[in-house]
Amino acid sequence: MESIELDGVIVDVDYVPLGGRSVIRATLKSAGKTYTLIDPSFYPHFYLVPFNNAIDEKSIAGMDITADGERISIHSVRRHELSVKGVTTTALRIETDNTRSVPKLSERLMEFGERYEYDILFWKRYLIDKHISPLSGVRVKAHQDKEQLVIDEITGSKESNERLSYICFDIETYNPQIAPRPDKDPCIMISYKGEGISGVITTKPVNKPFVTACKDEKEMILRFVEIIKKADPDIIAGYNSSNFDIPYLIKRAKTLGIPFDITRYGEEVKEENHGLLKMVKIPGRINLDMYNVTKFISIVGASEKLLKTNRLTLFDVYRAITGDTKITVDKTAIWKQWDGSKEDVENLSEYSLSDSMSLEKLYEFFIPLEIEISKVSGLTLSETAISTTGQLVEYILMKFAAWNEEVVPNKPNDSDIAQRNANPIEGAYVKTPEAGIYDNIAVFDFRGLYPSIIISNNIDPSAMCTDCIQYYTSPIGTHFRKEPMGIIPKVLQLLIAERTEVKRRYKKDPDNIFLGARSQALKILANSFYGYLGYARSRWYSRDCAGSVTAFGRETIQNTIAAAEQTGFRVIYSDTDSVFLLMQSKTKDDAINFMREINTKLPGAMELELEDFYSRGVFVGKKGKSDTGAKKKYALLSESGRIKIKGFELVRRDWSNIARDTQKRVLEAILSEGSKEKAMAIVKDVVKNLKEGEVSMKDLVIYTQLRKRMDSYDSVSPELHAARKALSEGVKSKAELEGGTIGYIITRNGSSVSEKAELEDTAKTYDPDYYINHQVMPATLKILKELGYSEEELKGAGSQRRL
């Protein structure tokens, strides 16, 4: 048999049935070519830790086990010495032929011992056990067997520069009921943009060079499949494509009686649920839904640096990233354009192509970060794009557990989760400020406070001890042995050390977008470990560990506050990992020397850093109190003129533009110009415009997300009422609404606020009193109260009470 060696990256990995077995299949990209490989040497398996030697490997291997009338084949049973919860233990690795046999066999054997790792997906199990990361590079030795390449050996390799090809696409559908019905309403256009190719396929003649006309919808869909096959992209990218475009094309193809095979293997595209997210599996390729990517960025907090927008529509994300605007149409009236003049159809084709071209810009912007998150986590790019930070952290720990010969803890059951949620962990220390406006402020924060606490104190469930000799003691009394280092601090230390090195290289090579993305990926993941420790559904959940982290954090901040005040600073605010010092008579050199003195006393990896010096800051009061400030709600003006805003409505999605914009202008007037009169005039002018109906409807839209199924809410909120109304009127489909962002306006129609809510697509009026009293006033009143103004004055009546 002729052997070949290949270096490249894994694009996709799954498993296929072969001779009654489940066999791993990998799609490899090497030197620009794509290879399909199988690995029949790897078997589905799990671990059993017997109760007091209740059973051994020979006994299990000799069992005749059936489930659902089918005999379960046991391929092998091997003894291993593995660490279970920090204790070296004998575990039996039990291999079977088929993935569906693993849960059945593990359940059958649970009377003999504790089962582990029986719920890890087979393809993930393969990547973990083989110590390979799909996009980080692999080396494969294989041989040809008939028409298949069979893996003899696969190992992690040096970083690969293999380039992944892509195609972006978008569809338009006929929608006379506003919400298109895949069983009735045809797809009328498909646009695409890839490397060197672009165009629109449709079923009407259009006098545009980029348009290809097909005789009917069937031919159009088959033509799109042909384009995918010919271009053979590694990545197929869309926007909300897992939830809408691809499922719609699947259903239309089924209705028309044609195959929709955009895979590499002549197989069906598979729709799967991934929590509230819809996942589409395209065997042999990467499905990248850019809507899920942008949503992830907005949730993890990287949006402040990467994505400054409150709406996640393609139009708004494109504008936020490029500064340009794309072609738009009234989406509810696409069917009218389609049934309209030749010019209408031409305009629709230009809009369709602009969607794919805009999507390509998003793809180019986000793909470096997605690739680096995939590399750091070790997951495939398809899986990375639909994972939460908790799922990414969990996989990293599973991978390192295998490398360190540790057994992966089991998932908690419903009872465990309920108990964990019923006993919340005490959070960070917050020193609330006195509400007011302050000048000359220095802000310091601890670099990676929680990660550094975890590393410095070896905080890990397996490191907790009661009889160890050398240990760290947390403020809540938990002991953590000093040696050996637990898996969580060990992984964190590696991530932080790598980020330090990457930042050093990036400083020397600032045009290297992948180094910048790598640094951001490492930061996102490192900052997610504490949250995962305290997450009720975590495999590595530990109340003692998570509680110890926050307790160390509280102790560190309180000690820093005490030292600052003893040094002569006034601490006006502190939250979690930061302290705000009022300089008073102190100089910048005094502040820097204070920071250096603190750092000489900090353990391990902890370090206090200067964020910036600010010339002015605004802190507002808590609800119902004017003398006590609200936490995480302030605005600062740096000496360089940069304004930092935290916690105000303008950075929240569930407030209208009119509230956010008014608040921002008020803050700018106070911070930059020091003019309380201008701030007052801004609010009074907005109130006047609202009363007189001179405010644009688009500035009144409130955005929020339905995070659960529509029928699972106990109370009816405005967004839920608007969604249900749109569903009943056929304006939107359930798939479009659930898990998606809802944009609604409070109209004049109805008695309660919820009843007045209508989707932005259909709202014709607005309720000025609601926007004055529940949007503009709450957004500005707490700020202007500090300047002596009352609500009556802001609404245009009354006089100033105090100065």
Side-chain angles (χ1 to χ4, degrees):
M1 292 183 296
E2 184 180 353
S3 181
I4 64 169
E5 289 191 11
L6 299 168
D7 285 295
V9 296
I10 292 175
V11 174
D12 186 37
V13 59
D14 56 9
Y15 61 91
V16 292
L18 189 65
R21 282 193 49 211
S22 297
V23 175
I24 287 292
R25 175 177 66 183
T27 306
L28 182 78
K29 188 78 177 284
S30 175
K33 292 181 65 178
T34 305
Y35 298 85
T36 303
L37 307 122
I38 63 168
D39 192 342
S41 68
F42 192 77
Y43 286 78
H45 62 270
F46 66 97
Y47 290 97
L48 183 77
V49 176
F51 298 138
N52 299 320
N53 298 317
I55 199 167
D56 59 20
E57 55 266 47
K58 289 183 180 179
S59 301
I60 295 173
M63 285 183 174
D64 187 7
I65 299 174
T66 60
D68 300 327
E70 181 182 353
R71 187 177 184 278
I72 295 177
S73 173
I74 298 175
H75 176 260
S76 69
V77 184
R78 284 178 281 173
R79 182 180 293 265
H80 291 264
E81 296 299 312
L82 300 175
S83 176
V84 180
K85 300 176 183 177
V87 178
T88 301
T89 309
T90 296
L92 303 178
R93 173 174 164 141
I94 303 168
E95 295 184 344
T96 182
D97 289 333
N98 203 293
T99 55
R100 65 175 183 271
S101 297
V102 172
K104 296 175 182 177
L105 184 56
S106 68
E107 188 174 351
R108 172 67 179 82
L109 295 175
M110 64 187 296
E111 63 180 287
F112 300 108
E114 188 73 30
R115 307 167 297 156
Y116 291 98
E117 304 190 12
Y118 54 88
D119 56 355
I120 299 176
L121 294 177
F122 187 35
W123 67 266
K124 287 185 180 180
R125 175 84 276 171
Y126 183 76
L127 296 177
I128 289 169
D129 284 17
K130 294 293 184 179
H131 301 178
I132 53 179
S133 180
L135 295 187
S136 289
V138 295
R139 172 163 292 174
V140 177
K141 293 180 181 179
H143 68 272
Q144 190 81 33
D145 183 7
K146 297 178 182 177
E147 296 182 357
Q148 295 178 318
L149 271 178
V150 179
I151 295 173
D152 296 314
E153 183 182 352
I154 183 168
T155 56
S157 180
K158 63 182 180 181
E159 195 78 10
S160 175
N161 293 320
E162 197 70 41
R163 192 167 177 275
L164 299 178
S165 58
Y166 69 90
I167 193 166
C168 301
F169 85 102
D170 187 73
I171 70 171
E172 308 304 334
T173 57
Y174 192 71
N175 60 336
Q177 301 297 317
I178 302 180
R181 303 158 296 181
D183 58 328
K184 297 179 181 179
D185 297 325
C187 176
I188 54 177
M189 284 184 181
I190 306 175
S191 64
Y192 58 92
K193 177 70 176 75
E195 297 160 286
I197 59 169
S198 64
V200 173
I201 324 164
T202 186
T203 57
K204 283 187 176 182
V206 178
N207 188 26
K208 293 288 181 181
F210 56 83
V211 176
T212 300
C214 300
K215 66 179 181 180
D216 54 26
E217 184 188 11
K218 182 186 291 188
E219 184 180 295
M220 179 183 68
I221 293 175
L222 290 173
R223 173 66 179 146
F224 177 64
V225 171
E226 182 184 327
I227 289 168
I228 294 293
K229 294 288 188 184
K230 185 176 179 180
D232 195 26
D234 301 307
I235 301 172
I236 297 179
Y239 202 81
N240 200 31
S241 51
S242 295
N243 195 52
F244 180 73
D245 300 67
I246 295 177
Y248 204 92
L249 288 173
I250 291 172
K251 288 167 186 170
R252 289 306 301 158
K254 195 169 290 185
T255 299
L256 295 167
I258 57 174
F260 182 66
D261 175 21
I262 57 173
T263 76
R264 273 186 163 132
Y265 300 122
E267 299 173 4
E268 289 186 357
V269 178
K270 303 168 186 174
E271 295 180 73
E272 301 173 0
N273 288 322
H274 203 276
L276 270 180
L277 288 180
K278 299 284 186 182
M279 179 184 180
V280 173
K281 177 77 173 170
I282 308 174
R285 307 191 198 277
I286 294 164
N287 171 40
L288 196 63
D289 188 334
M290 297 307 299
Y291 173 73
N292 291 335
V293 172
T294 57
K295 189 162 65 171
F296 174 87
I297 295 300
S298 70
I299 290 170
V300 299
S303 55
E304 291 184 12
K305 185 175 182 180
L306 298 176
L307 182 62
K308 296 182 179 179
T309 180
N310 291 292
R311 296 187 63 189
L312 297 183
T313 65
L314 178 58
F315 177 88
D316 289 287
V317 175
Y318 176 78
R319 181 172 57 183
I321 288 172
T322 66
D324 296 328
T325 58
K326 63 176 291 294
I327 299 171
T328 60
V329 298
D330 180 357
K331 289 194 173 186
T332 65
I334 284 178
W335 67 280
K336 290 182 180 178
Q337 275 192 266
W338 181 252
D339 288 342
S341 66
K342 284 187 177 181
E343 185 180 356
D344 286 334
V345 178
E346 287 177 2
N347 291 339
L348 189 59
S349 69
E350 289 181 344
Y351 163 73
S352 180
L353 183 61
S354 77
D355 273 357
S356 287
M357 297 187 77
S358 300
L359 182 56
E360 183 183 48
K361 294 293 185 184
L362 268 61
Y363 172 87
E364 291 170 345
F365 183 81
F366 285 118
I367 195 62
L369 178 60
E370 284 300 296
I371 286 175
E372 294 307 320
I373 292 176
S374 175
K375 287 180 178 180
V376 174
S377 69
L379 280 169
T380 62
L381 187 54
S382 289
E383 190 78 7
T384 297
I386 59 164
S387 294
T388 64
T389 53
Q391 290 164 337
L392 294 169
V393 167
E394 181 165 280
Y395 185 79
I396 292 172
L397 291 175
M398 288 164 63
K399 180 175 65 173
F400 275 86
W403 294 355
N404 286 275
E405 298 187 320
E406 294 185 25
V407 169
V408 174
N410 290 327
K411 287 181 179 179
N413 57 37
D414 290 343
S415 175
D416 294 331
I417 294 168
Q419 185 178 12
R420 293 171 180 182
N421 283 326
N423 293 278
I425 296 159
E426 185 178 354
Y429 172 76
V430 177
K431 175 183 171 60
T432 54
E434 290 182 17
I437 300 169
Y438 300 88
D439 293 334
N440 203 11
I441 302 166
V443 177
F444 295 90
D445 57 33
F446 285 92
R447 183 178 64 188
L449 178 62
Y450 284 176
S452 64
I453 286 172
I454 291 170
I455 295 168
S456 300
N457 298 282
N458 198 25
I459 295 177
D460 186 281
S462 68
M464 290 191 298
C465 61
T466 56
D467 56 356
C468 42
I469 298 172
Q470 293 187 315
Y471 53 84
Y472 303 101
T473 304
S474 78
I476 61 173
T478 306
H479 292 177
F480 299 93
R481 66 166 184 258
K482 291 191 174 182
E483 295 290 344
M485 184 175 268
I487 185 173
I488 291 175
K490 187 183 293 185
V491 173
L492 269 175
Q493 191 173 54
L494 289 170
L495 295 179
I496 290 171
E498 183 183 351
R499 185 165 188 251
T500 300
E501 171 61 18
V502 168
K503 286 174 73 175
R504 184 191 67 78
R505 290 165 55 199
Y506 188 44
K507 194 171 183 179
K508 291 183 177 179
D509 186 12
D511 294 328
N512 190 322
I513 58 173
F514 283 95
L515 282 177
R518 182 78 167 192
S519 176
Q520 188 72 16
L522 289 162
K523 179 182 178 181
I524 288 169
L525 293 171
N527 286 340
S528 301
F529 273 72
Y530 161 72
Y532 180 72
L533 263 178
Y535 175 50
R537 296 181 180 273
S538 164
R539 291 178 186 265
W540 271 270
Y541 171 89
S542 171
R543 193 173 193 279
D544 287 330
C545 287
S548 292
V549 174
T550 54
F552 273 121
R554 291 191 298 273
E555 181 180 74
T556 301
I557 286 292
Q558 289 167 338
N559 289 343
T560 303
I561 290 171
E565 291 177 340
Q566 288 171 5
T567 309
F569 293 98
R570 180 184 168 195
V571 179
I572 55 172
Y573 177 58
S574 176
D575 183 10
T576 308
D577 60 355
S578 58
V579 286
F580 293 56
L581 308 183
L582 201 58
M583 299 285 283
Q584 302 185 120
S585 61
K586 295 287 186 178
T587 65
K588 290 182 181 178
D589 287 341
D590 292 332
I592 297 298
N593 289 333
F594 164 74
M595 177 190 72
R596 290 171 177 163
E597 179 63 22
I598 290 293
N599 283 333
T600 62
K601 301 172 184 177
L602 292 175
M606 287 192 205
E607 184 178 359
L608 187 66
E609 294 181 316
L610 173 69
E611 179 187 288
D612 210 343
F613 290 104
Y614 295 91
S615 55
R616 184 171 294 131
V618 176
F619 296 84
V620 302
K622 282 185 178 180
K623 190 173 182 179
K625 299 179 181 179
S626 60
D627 57 341
T628 304
K631 65 180 181 179
K632 294 185 187 294
K633 200 165 189 178
Y634 55 84
L636 300 168
L637 175 67
S638 73
E639 292 184 340
S640 64
R642 179 178 63 91
I643 293 179
K644 177 182 179 179
I645 297 170
K646 192 80 171 178
F648 283 106
E649 283 68 27
L650 65 91
V651 296
R652 287 172 50 185
R653 191 184 300 165
D654 56 347
W655 284 75
S656 61
N657 274 343
I658 194 70
R660 287 195 300 267
D661 181 64
T662 306
Q663 188 184 73
K664 182 179 181 181
R665 291 166 61 203
V666 165
L667 288 169
E668 287 174 344
I670 295 169
L671 291 172
S672 300
E673 302 178 39
S675 174
K676 62 185 180 182
E677 291 81 12
K678 182 175 180 180
M680 172 72 163
I682 288 168
V683 179
K684 292 180 77 170
D685 189 49
V686 170
V687 169
K688 176 177 176 288
N689 289 338
L690 278 166
K691 288 179 177 178
E692 295 176 358
E694 296 179 2
V695 176
S696 170
M697 294 287 281
K698 66 181 175 61
D699 289 329
L700 303 172
V701 183
I702 301 167
Y703 294 97
T704 190
Q705 188 177 10
L706 291 181
R707 300 185 181 275
K708 301 188 292 184
R709 294 187 306 275
M710 290 170 64
D711 57 3
S712 65
Y713 286 88
D714 295 327
S715 58
V716 180
S717 59
E719 63 268 23
L720 184 59
H721 184 274
R724 286 178 176 172
K725 185 176 181 181
L727 185 64
S728 67
E729 294 177 352
V731 174
K732 293 279 186 181
S733 68
K734 199 171 185 180
E736 290 178 286
L737 295 166
E738 290 183 342
T741 300
I742 304 294
Y744 65 91
I745 291 174
I746 303 301
T747 69
R748 296 177 182 270
N749 309 317
S751 55
S752 68
V753 171
S754 291
E755 289 176 1
K756 292 180 178 182
E758 293 184 24
L759 288 195
E760 58 178 313
D761 298 332
T762 58
K764 304 299 182 190
T765 65
Y766 73 84
D767 181 353
D769 289 337
Y770 171 82
Y771 285 95
I772 292 168
N773 296 321
H774 299 283
Q775 291 278 311
V776 174
M777 285 297 112
T780 59
L781 187 57
K782 285 186 178 295
I783 303 167
L784 291 172
K785 269 187 175 179
E786 304 309 323
L787 301 175
Y789 292 111
S790 68
E791 184 172 352
E792 290 75 19
E793 290 173 273
L794 297 179
K795 291 180 180 178
S799 58
Q800 188 175 349
R801 292 179 297 169
R802 59 181 173 86
L803 293 176

